[in-house]
């Protein structure tokens, strides 16, 4: 690259103003939890700049997901998706287990609601609407524009597997175990596991074995098959490792990171060419961004890491 072109690139990067923006953003991110709705079944903190830590918070119920938690998960991730102080999310769980699956008391309550009608068509409408609520809750994690890192300890059963397969990255403790248990309660999983789990592990054979049998599998097998990418000794080091990764991601251009996630999620359901067309249309704008200019200038000059404005 010529000296003139290098000068032009560096001139495009508003470095001094960006540093001040970073300082302002860091202060805002530290206090950002005050701007996030508080939930009954979820606990939210901001342990690092631009990093939000979401915890499933029904420890006495082993974080079994009831109707209220379904609704709050969706609201939480839809809120964080548009929060400019959030660039990466870690989801873990309070208490002994990550998630014991769906709260069966919610299932019983739905049964009582169905009993109020004698008409099978009306019962079907009630069921369809309820399932859609639960599906949309899990899909909100996948559609969240910010990278989501799952930190799983001990039991991750049923709906817990639905939840983690919607994430971008999955870590676990060495004592974690997983079970696609819906067949054991006489149903097919219907909120995401059957669609996302086979793609997450890349083996239709193993996915079908685990879904047909409900067999429990341990962290070592989960790592081998690709369900989790790292295994930690205990919960403390797990959460610390997940937060460190989130903090690393949060230092990078939010335009670059969020576009990368959007393209990868889109490409899961489309052909290679459709994925290429999709990213080309996005990048014809994004390659003109100040983030790109700053990052290129920093690489060329071996300068300190660039800092980026909120998005």
């Amino acid at each position: 690259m010529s000296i003139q072109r290098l000068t032009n690139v560096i001139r495009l990067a508003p470095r001094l103003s960006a540093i001040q923006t970073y300082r302002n953003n860091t202060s805002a991110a530290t206090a950002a939890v005050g701007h996030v709705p508080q939930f009954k079944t979820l606990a939210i903190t901001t342990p690092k700049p631009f990093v939000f830590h979401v915890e499933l918070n029904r420890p006495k119920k082993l974080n079994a997901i009831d109707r209220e938690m379904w609704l709050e998960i969706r609201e939480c991730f839809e809120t964080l998706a548009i929060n400019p102080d959030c660039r990466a999310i870690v989801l873990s769980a309070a208490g002994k287990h990550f998630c014991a699956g769906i709260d069966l008391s919610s299932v019983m309550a739905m049964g009582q609601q169905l009993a109020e009608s004698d008409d099978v068509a009306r019962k079907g409408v009630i069921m369809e609407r309820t399932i859609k609520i639960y599906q949309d809750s899990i899909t909100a994690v996948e559609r969240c524009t910010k990278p989501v890192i799952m930190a799983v300890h001990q039991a991750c059963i049923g709906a817990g597997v639905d939840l983690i397969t919607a994430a971008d990255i999955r870590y676990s403790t060495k004592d974690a175990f997983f079970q696609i248990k819906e067949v054991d309660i006489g149903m097919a999983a219907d909120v995401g596991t059957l669609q996302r789990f086979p793609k997450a592990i890349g083996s239709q054979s193993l996915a079908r074995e685990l879904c047909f049998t409900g067999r429990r599998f341990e962290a070592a097998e989960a790592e081998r098959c690709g369900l989790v990418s790292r295994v930690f000794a205990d919960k403390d080091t797990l959460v610390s490792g997940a937060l460190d990764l989130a903090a690393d991601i949060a230092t990078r251009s939010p335009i670059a990171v969020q576009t990368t996630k959007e393209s990868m999620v889109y490409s899961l359901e489309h052909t290679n060419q459709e994925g290429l067309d999709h990213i080309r249309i996005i990048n014809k704008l994004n390659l003109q961004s100040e983030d790109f200019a700053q990052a290129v200038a920093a690489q060329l000059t071996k300068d300190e890491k660039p800092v980026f404005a909120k998005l």
Side-chain angles (χ1 to χ4, degrees):
M1 178 176 284
S2 68
I3 296 297
Q4 182 59 45
R5 288 182 67 191
L6 175 59
T7 302
N8 289 339
V9 169
I10 293 174
R11 189 172 66 247
L12 284 170
R15 308 189 70 82
L16 293 177
S17 61
I19 290 172
Q20 183 61 46
T21 299
Y22 176 75
R23 289 172 181 159
N24 294 339
N25 286 352
T26 300
S27 299
T30 303
V33 70
H35 301 291
V36 175
Q38 299 301 294
F39 301 102
K40 291 183 179 179
T41 68
L42 305 173
I44 303 178
T45 56
T46 52
K48 296 176 182 286
F50 300 110
V51 173
F52 278 65
H53 183 193
V54 179
E55 285 187 288
L56 305 181
N57 195 31
R58 299 186 75 216
K60 293 182 180 179
K61 297 291 186 180
L62 305 181
N63 296 309
I65 305 179
D66 64 356
R67 184 181 177 88
E68 184 172 34
M69 184 181 277
W70 287 113
L71 295 172
E72 290 191 345
I73 288 171
R74 177 178 179 177
E75 182 182 353
C76 174
F77 280 89
E78 288 182 346
T79 299
L80 293 181
I82 58 173
N83 185 334
D85 292 315
C86 175
R87 293 186 183 177
I89 303 165
V90 171
L91 191 149
S92 66
K96 184 178 180 180
H97 293 289
F98 178 79
C99 180
I102 191 169
D103 189 328
L104 293 179
S105 65
S106 294
V107 177
M108 297 300 292
M110 185 172 62
Q112 293 172 356
Q113 184 181 7
L114 292 175
E116 295 174 2
S117 174
D118 293 327
D119 183 67
V120 67
R122 285 170 173 78
K123 289 181 179 182
V125 169
I126 294 170
M127 288 292 295
E128 193 274 338
R129 289 172 179 170
T130 301
I131 294 169
K132 186 66 164 62
I133 287 171
Y134 296 172
Q135 289 176 339
D136 289 349
S137 172
I138 301 299
T139 298
V141 177
E142 182 177 64
R143 289 184 177 174
C144 179
T145 55
K146 318 301 169 62
V148 180
I149 304 162
M150 293 286 170
V152 182
H153 73 286
Q154 287 282 343
C156 179
I157 297 171
V161 178
D162 291 307
L163 180 61
I164 68 169
T165 53
D168 300 287
I169 299 164
R170 292 170 291 275
Y171 287 172
S172 80
T173 55
K174 66 181 181 181
D175 61 5
F177 63 92
F178 306 83
Q179 218 171 350
I180 301 167
K181 201 172 174 58
E182 283 83 352
V183 291
D184 287 341
I185 58 171
M187 63 172 287
D190 58 6
V191 294
T193 289
L194 302 185
Q195 292 69 40
R196 297 186 178 102
F197 182 75
K199 296 171 185 173
I201 69 171
S203 169
Q204 282 285 338
S205 177
L206 180 58
R208 294 181 190 214
E209 174 196 332
L210 295 170
C211 292
F212 294 161
T213 65
R215 174 172 69 79
R216 166 175 164 159
F217 58 105
E218 312 295 324
E221 184 176 1
E223 186 178 26
R224 286 197 305 272
C225 75
L227 180 62
V228 302
S229 51
R230 286 188 67 186
V231 174
F232 293 78
D234 53 47
K235 184 181 177 183
D236 288 342
T237 57
L238 165 71
V239 173
S240 177
L243 289 172
D244 286 346
L245 175 63
D248 183 20
I249 293 170
T251 65
R252 303 173 192 277
S253 161
I255 289 178
V257 170
Q258 291 174 38
T259 300
T260 296
K261 174 169 180 175
E262 180 182 354
S263 180
M264 294 182 80
V265 171
Y266 179 90
S267 296
L268 280 173
E269 301 294 338
H270 294 80
T271 66
N272 289 344
Q273 188 57 54
E274 287 169 336
L276 289 166
D277 294 341
H278 178 261
I279 191 61
R280 186 180 68 250
I281 290 168
I282 295 173
N283 267 5
K284 71 182 181 183
L285 298 177
N286 286 0
L287 291 179
Q288 302 178 65
S289 73
E290 66 178 33
D291 287 26
F292 180 65
Q294 286 177 234
V296 169
Q299 289 288 320
L300 290 172
T301 59
K302 307 300 181 185
D303 203 350
E304 63 185 30
K305 267 191 172 183
V307 290
F308 302 99
K310 294 180 181 181
L311 179 62

